[in-house]
Amino acid sequence: MKRRIIKIDEDKCTGCGICIPDCPEGALQIIDGKARLISDLFCDGLGACIKACPENAMEIEEREAEEYNESKVMVNIVKGGANVIKAHLKHLKDHGEDKLFNEAVKYLKDNNLEVPNMEENKICGCQGSMPRDLRNQFKGTSSNSNIQMHSELRNWPIQLKLMNPNASYLDNADLLVAADCVPFSYPNFHSRFLKDKILIMFCPKLDIDIDGYIEKLANIFANKNINSISIVRMEVPCCGGVEMIVRKALEMTNKNIIIKEYTISIDGNII
């Protein structure tokens, strides 16, 4: 079983921290002046953090991987020193991985290594799944139920997994590649983004076959005359995988297609 995971070139890394907000699960931290992957478990390998790195110190490597084993992970964690050990334990605890936390502590004790004091307990910020109550933003507002809106949808299916890359509607198309949370978050999605475009949707976080998505998009880019690509994603870091997937597909075809990217905030505004 192959597994995609972030690899950091410590010689290139300057510890600037620009990559941290784009890490989908908070698995990256700046420790001892370098960006560190503090937990393999929470790295999904989508590469949302890569585009933020100004030093090109990050890449995705694909390697054979066994089923996750905390003891084996700890072998590498301890090499990073006391601060990396503490950050790793805290990350496990914050995500409710008590079984893995206990395994890590046992590994430290069995190897006569100091167990860090974990009294400081602050939940790490995994923005993509952090609960937020948005109901108060609608207080004092009213809606006009008499306003008639019409659909701008020009194709079906819209999910990339179901789409036929040879479909005729892709000929000479202007593509809108959207994360699937966007239409629910941005109320004017049809009129602002979808008009006169062919829609492709997927979730870079929850969908499994990312490599298949890249190959399918590359097929479309290579065999169809695509005029332009608009990307609409959410502000959460994991959504950066949308652009990564599109750009990797373009790299496979050596096509030069104009890309415009838009980001939608969780409260429904264009950032």
Side-chain angles (χ1 to χ4, degrees):
M1 172 179 162
K2 286 190 174 182
R3 183 182 175 197
R4 296 158 59 88
I5 199 164
I6 295 298
K7 181 179 179 181
I8 302 170
D9 187 333
E10 292 194 8
D11 292 333
K12 292 182 179 180
C13 178
T14 62
C16 67
I18 295 175
C19 60
I20 302 300
D22 283 336
C23 177
E25 297 292 348
L28 290 176
Q29 290 186 21
I30 301 298
I31 299 174
D32 298 332
K34 298 288 183 181
R36 309 273 188 174
L37 182 65
I38 62 164
S39 179
D40 289 2
L41 178 62
F42 296 105
C43 176
D44 56 20
L46 285 178
C49 53
I50 291 178
K51 66 174 184 175
C53 180
E55 305 298 331
N56 294 319
M58 311 179 80
E59 62 179 349
I60 296 175
E61 64 174 350
E62 189 169 305
R63 51 181 166 83
E64 292 292 333
E66 304 175 37
E67 182 178 355
Y68 184 82
N69 185 304
E70 180 61 30
S71 296
K72 291 182 179 179
V73 169
M74 286 300 294
V75 173
N76 290 323
I77 291 294
V78 297
K79 294 177 183 177
N83 290 333
V84 176
I85 293 172
K86 185 173 183 178
H88 177 68
L89 292 178
K90 181 177 180 297
H91 197 76
L92 292 176
K93 200 70 175 175
D94 289 347
H95 283 270
E97 295 289 347
D98 293 335
K99 181 177 181 291
L100 297 178
F101 176 85
N102 292 333
E103 289 178 9
V105 170
K106 183 179 184 300
Y107 176 90
L108 294 174
K109 291 180 177 178
D110 290 347
N111 289 274
N112 299 314
L113 297 170
E114 182 180 356
V115 178
N117 184 345
M118 302 300 295
E119 289 182 359
E120 297 179 3
N121 188 23
K122 181 180 179 183
I123 300 298
C124 68
C126 298
Q127 300 176 35
S129 56
M130 185 180 298
R132 290 180 58 180
D133 189 337
L134 305 175
R135 289 174 293 181
N136 287 337
Q137 76 183 36
F138 296 108
K139 284 186 175 180
T141 64
S142 61
S143 60
N144 186 346
S145 59
N146 293 322
I147 296 177
Q148 298 296 317
M149 302 180 68
H150 65 274
S151 173
E152 295 289 351
L153 192 62
R154 297 291 183 267
N155 62 288
W156 189 267
I158 58 177
Q159 290 288 343
L160 180 56
K161 186 177 184 63
L162 303 176
M163 188 171 287
N164 178 0
N166 296 312
S168 59
Y169 55 69
L170 292 167
D171 293 323
N172 301 308
D174 292 291
L175 297 183
L176 176 63
V177 182
D180 55 13
C181 290
V182 170
F184 298 97
S185 304
Y186 188 71
N188 295 323
F189 177 77
H190 279 250
S191 60
R192 176 63 177 83
F193 293 114
L194 188 53
K195 185 177 174 58
D196 298 326
K197 292 183 174 63
I198 295 301
L199 178 61
I200 297 176
M201 292 182 63
F202 58 85
C203 177
K205 175 66 177 174
L206 300 180
D207 293 354
I208 297 174
D209 190 17
I210 299 302
D211 288 335
Y213 284 0
I214 294 172
E215 291 178 8
K216 181 173 282 192
L217 283 175
N219 188 348
I220 292 172
F221 297 156
N223 298 309
K224 298 293 183 178
N225 183 26
I226 303 301
N227 298 322
S228 67
I229 304 170
S230 296
I231 295 173
V232 191
R233 50 160 291 191
M234 297 299 297
E235 66 174 318
V236 295
C238 52
C239 227
V242 177
E243 182 185 5
M244 181 275 291
I245 290 169
V246 171
R247 291 196 180 278
K248 279 191 170 294
L250 276 176
E251 288 173 6
M252 292 175 64
T253 62
N254 293 318
K255 287 290 187 72
N256 184 18
I257 304 175
I258 296 174
I259 296 179
K260 296 181 180 179
E261 184 174 8
Y262 303 89
T263 302
I264 306 300
S265 66
I266 293 174
D267 57 3
N269 294 303
I270 299 178
I271 299 176

